[in-house]
Amino acid sequence: MPQVKIVARNFMDMVASLLAVKLDMLYDNSFICEVILRSLPPLAKKYVLQLLYIDIPISAKSMEEWVLPDGFSKHKVAIDRLIQLRVMTETFDRKKEAMYRLNPKFQFNLQKHIVHGGVLPREPMPSNITVRLPSLEELEAFAVEQWECFLLHLISSSEAGKTTNISSSMMKIFQRGLLSQRDDREPPRLTESGFQFLLMDTNAQLWYIIREYITNAEERGVDSADLIAFLLELSFHVTGKAYNTNTLTDLQRSITKDLSDLGLVKLQQGRKESWFIPTKLATNLSISLADTTSRKQGFIVIETNFRLYAYSTSKLHCEILRLFARVEYQLPNLIVGAITKESLYKAFQNGITAEQIISFLQQNAHPRVAERIPSVPENVTDQIRLWESDLNRVEMIPAHLYDEFPSKDVFEAACDFAREYGGLLWEDSKQLRIIVKADILTEMKEFLRRQK
């Protein structure tokens, strides 16, 4: 079964993919230089600070002496990361030895920021101007509701109750690779990548969406460097504080509307002013996937008899469970179902793998069972893998049978030819018969014609 992998990259990988000219434009902003410094591995941060006031290149050999022999692998990772982000540039002297120095623009702006500080991109609005701001709990609930609304739309547009809040342009961007539509008469359907996306961790889903949003920026007439710069600026905003939208450019206003659809910011309108309120999803954008420690509490209990109990009021959770389980009934705070052979076969046909299902069950295990080892019964995980292997036991390959070869030499030559092209499936040296993949039918015919 083909498997389409969705890779959710670190935000800094997106930054590193920018052209050198656009990266240098980013480093005009001292706050972005600080964000980049924060994101670096510990050893890379140390190198930046050591080189911050050195204006001449340092040889690679000299820098290698800064670490002990057992730290050389971390040293290489640090150097590679600094070069990828153009924080450090690499040159070669007359002896062709590598020399390193900090990017002058990055170096100057970081020096200025450390010594003199700087004015934040924008200050929070005073409380006497804004109406009652949502509490952190209300803001978190808003972010969850908006995110679930988007995911419900991916599963089934008829099931999502509030999809009108999501702009059509945003949905077109996010649907790429996740939904497919043969023609206008048929509703969009989830692709293999779409099914796999729904089982991913929320943080990984968010990074996938942000990556697509940035990747497709140029098609919308948006400079990807400007977009990344604003997303990085959000790292300096305080969760729950209100920021005046009049301080934003037209592009940034458009971005905040899109981010609001996903629950990254909440928009509010007062009598005279309007403002946006960042949620945790926005202020943590510059943190890597590996660094994100906030995980939602699990809700799933699996029994050894394959019964499934999900303690959740979320409609989204119910729809995701339907992807691989049989949901029998739903109470106000409990979903009851079972994992069956039929429900898993349907999931496998949609491109979901056994390992993805098992990983989803483990990551979302209820706290009462999450402490157990294993959190999902072994007989359940083993059976899920066995049912997946059942589908892969027999593989249909179009092929052709060749027999009645004029001689042993021609037969062996044909075997060698088919084997060289990777098309030989079976051979019988006694009866002089071979079975060859249909993929190389034309080449095989031409070879046999030459033998005659």
Side-chain angles (χ1 to χ4, degrees), residues 397-405 411 414-416 418-419 422-438 440 444:
I397 301 176
H400 291 272
L401 171 68
Y402 294 88
D403 59 0
E404 299 182 359
F405 286 92
F411 167 78
C415 289
D416 292 340
R419 192 178 292 110
L424 181 62
L425 295 174
W426 175 82
E427 62 179 297
D428 181 355
S429 56
K430 292 183 179 180
Q431 301 293 327
L432 301 185
R433 296 182 296 178
I434 60 172
I435 295 178
V436 176
K437 290 180 182 178
I440 64 168
M444 198 68 185

Side-chain angles (χ1 to χ4, degrees), residues 219-244:
E219 295 182 13
R220 308 192 306 276
V222 176
D223 191 309
S224 57
D226 292 339
L227 173 56
I228 288 176
F230 180 63
L231 292 174
L232 288 174
E233 276 187 22
L234 288 177
S235 300
F236 291 93
H237 293 66
V238 181
T239 302
K241 294 291 185 180
Y243 296 88
N244 199 325

Side-chain angles (χ1 to χ4, degrees), residues 4-8 177-178 192-194 196-198 200 204 208 211:
V4 181
K5 292 185 178 180
I6 297 179
V7 180
L178 303 181
E192 286 190 11
S193 297
Q196 294 170 15
F197 173 83
L198 290 170
M200 290 166 63
Y208 174 82
R211 186 192 72 183

Side-chain angles (χ1 to χ4, degrees), residues 20-36:
V21 175
K22 292 187 176 182
L23 265 176
D24 287 340
M25 288 171 58
L26 279 182
Y27 296 153
D28 280 330
N29 187 319
S30 59
F31 284 99
I32 290 179
C33 293
E34 183 184 337
V35 173
I36 299 297

Side-chain angles (χ1 to χ4, degrees), residues 93-325:
D93 61 12
R94 294 177 180 178
K95 297 179 181 179
K96 295 185 178 181
E97 292 185 359
M99 307 287 289
Y100 300 126
R101 69 161 296 172
L102 288 185
N103 181 323
K105 185 173 288 188
F106 180 92
Q107 185 179 22
F108 173 77
N109 285 308
L110 188 59
Q111 285 177 357
K112 185 174 68 173
H113 185 66
I114 290 176
V115 174
H116 303 290
V119 180
L120 289 169
R122 57 193 59 83
E123 295 289 342
M125 296 177 68
S127 57
N128 62 337
I129 296 179
T130 60
V131 297
R132 190 187 77 84
L133 297 179
S135 65
L136 293 179
E137 292 75 16
E138 291 170 336
L139 204 58
E140 180 71 16
F142 163 79
V144 171
E145 182 182 4
Q146 289 296 106
W147 188 251
E148 290 193 357
C149 176
F150 162 66
L151 293 182
L152 275 172
H153 187 91
L154 287 180
I155 296 174
S156 172
S157 58
S158 62
E159 293 290 336
K162 296 182 65 178
T163 50
T164 52
N165 289 344
I166 299 177
S167 64
S168 58
S169 60
M170 285 287 285
M171 289 308 303
K172 286 180 181 178
I173 294 170
F174 299 154
Q175 286 170 4
R176 287 189 181 182
L178 303 181
L179 292 177
S180 64
Q181 190 174 15
R182 293 182 180 179
D183 53 57
D184 295 335
R185 292 173 295 179
E186 292 186 5
R189 297 184 59 185
L190 280 168
T191 62
E192 286 190 11
S193 297
F195 281 107
Q196 294 170 15
F197 173 83
L198 290 170
L199 294 188
M200 290 166 63
D201 178 80
T202 301
N203 289 318
Q205 289 174 337
L206 174 62
W207 281 110
Y208 174 82
I209 294 302
I210 292 297
R211 186 192 72 183
E212 288 297 305
Y213 188 53
I214 294 172
T215 302
N216 294 284
E218 302 290 347
E219 295 182 13
R220 308 192 306 276
V222 176
D223 191 309
S224 57
D226 292 339
L227 173 56
I228 288 176
F230 180 63
L231 292 174
L232 288 174
E233 276 187 22
L234 288 177
S235 300
F236 291 93
H237 293 66
V238 181
T239 302
K241 294 291 185 180
Y243 296 88
N244 199 325
T245 54
N246 289 334
T247 62
L248 303 176
T249 64
D250 291 339
L251 170 62
Q252 291 171 343
R253 287 193 191 96
S254 174
I255 295 171
T256 55
K257 288 180 181 178
D258 291 340
L259 297 182
S260 176
D261 291 340
L262 297 176
L264 274 71
V265 299
K266 182 177 177 63
L267 301 177
Q268 282 190 337
Q269 177 69 50
R271 290 181 180 180
K272 295 181 180 181
E273 306 281 358
S274 60
W275 53 86
F276 67 94
I277 308 168
T279 68
K280 278 187 178 179
L281 293 178
T283 54
N284 288 341
L285 273 178
S286 63
I287 301 175
S288 69
L289 280 173
D291 294 335
T292 51
T293 55
S294 58
R295 293 285 184 259
K296 291 184 178 179
Q297 192 176 56
F299 60 96
I300 297 175
V301 176
I302 297 287
E303 294 184 340
T304 55
N305 60 0
F306 294 86
R307 298 289 295 172
L308 181 149
Y309 301 93
Y311 294 87
S312 174
T313 59
S314 170
K315 190 174 183 180
L316 174 64
H317 288 161
C318 184
E319 294 303 318
I320 290 179
L321 291 173
R322 290 185 195 276
L323 297 177
F324 61 86

Side-chain angles (χ1 to χ4, degrees), residues 37-96:
L37 180 64
R38 289 180 186 177
S39 73
L40 295 172
L43 192 57
K45 290 179 185 175
K46 180 176 181 292
Y47 289 164
V48 170
L49 296 176
Q50 283 184 257
L51 295 172
L52 192 57
Y53 288 94
I54 298 177
D55 295 326
I56 60 173
I58 301 295
S59 68
K61 289 184 178 179
S62 297
M63 291 189 66
E64 288 175 6
E65 294 175 359
W66 294 357
V67 293
L68 296 173
D70 59 353
F72 185 74
S73 59
K74 292 183 179 179
H75 168 81
K76 190 175 185 306
V77 169
I79 295 295
D80 289 345
R81 193 57 169 168
L82 291 170
I83 292 175
Q84 287 171 2
L85 290 166
R86 279 187 58 79
V87 170
M88 190 165 69
T89 57
E90 183 180 31
T91 56
F92 294 91
D93 61 12
R94 294 177 180 178
K95 297 179 181 179
K96 295 185 178 181

